[in-house]
Amino acid sequence: TGYSTMRIEWTVNGKVLKTGHRFRPAYDFDYVALDLLSVYPDDSGVYQCTARNAYGEAVTSATVKVFAQQQVVSEARTEMKQFQSFEKKTTSRTEVQEETTSQAPVFTSSPKSIEVTEGQRAHFEDR
């Protein structure tokens, strides 16, 4: 008794986020994070984190706006297609961590909405 399995799910624009080479979630007891590596304009949107356990759920979200660079090298586009192909092959996964708790999850801090330039990194962090 008292043990609950915490499930963390990230979505973008209402769709389950496919984790892979550029999208890396992390979860450690009271810390949840998502790193978006080398972002592109198509990565813009509302990123939502949902934490669930046997006692309930908590939801938090933030917006990412990615601005395109003035000049996009064709190599970068090719690389993007390779990443997209790789990510389509990667199945979505939810990180699970066993913990002792007797209450529903609660976010005590929320991720901040950000604006980044294409190719930069974006980072979300919740507690």
Side-chain angles (χ1 to χ4, degrees):
T1 66
Y3 280 92
S4 175
T5 301
M6 181 73 70
R7 296 194 180 275
I8 303 297
E9 179 180 72
W10 285 95
T11 60
V12 60
N13 299 326
K15 296 179 183 175
V16 174
L17 181 68
K18 294 181 180 179
T19 58
H21 179 75
R22 293 188 315 113
F23 301 95
R24 297 183 183 171
Y27 172 67
D28 185 22
F29 193 64
D30 69 341
Y31 174 81
V32 178
L34 177 66
D35 284 307
L36 287 68
L37 307 179
S38 190
V39 295
Y40 295 92
D42 289 347
D43 297 327
S44 294
V46 177
Y47 287 75
Q48 179 175 295
C49 180
T50 303
R52 290 186 183 92
N53 68 12
Y55 300 98
E57 72 177 39
V59 179
T60 189
S61 64
T63 301
V64 173
K65 291 182 183 177
V66 181
F67 296 99
Q69 292 179 348
Q70 294 298 326
Q71 295 180 325
V72 178
V73 181
S74 62
E75 275 183 34
R77 289 182 187 252
T78 301
E79 186 176 289
M80 171 67 172
K81 288 178 184 173
Q82 290 171 345
F83 284 143
Q84 287 173 335
S85 173
F86 178 76
E87 287 170 353
K88 285 179 184 174
K89 294 176 187 175
T90 304
T91 57
S92 176
R93 59 181 177 220
T94 302
E95 295 192 21
V96 177
Q97 175 84 22
E98 291 294 324
E99 65 181 45
T100 303
T101 186
S102 58
Q103 69 179 38
V106 175
F107 286 111
T108 58
S109 68
S110 296
K112 305 292 184 229
S113 294
I114 55 175
E115 295 182 356
V116 293
T117 303
E118 181 177 1
Q120 290 183 323
R121 177 181 176 220
H123 176 80
F124 292 117
E125 192 172 299
D126 307 308
R127 291 197 180 272

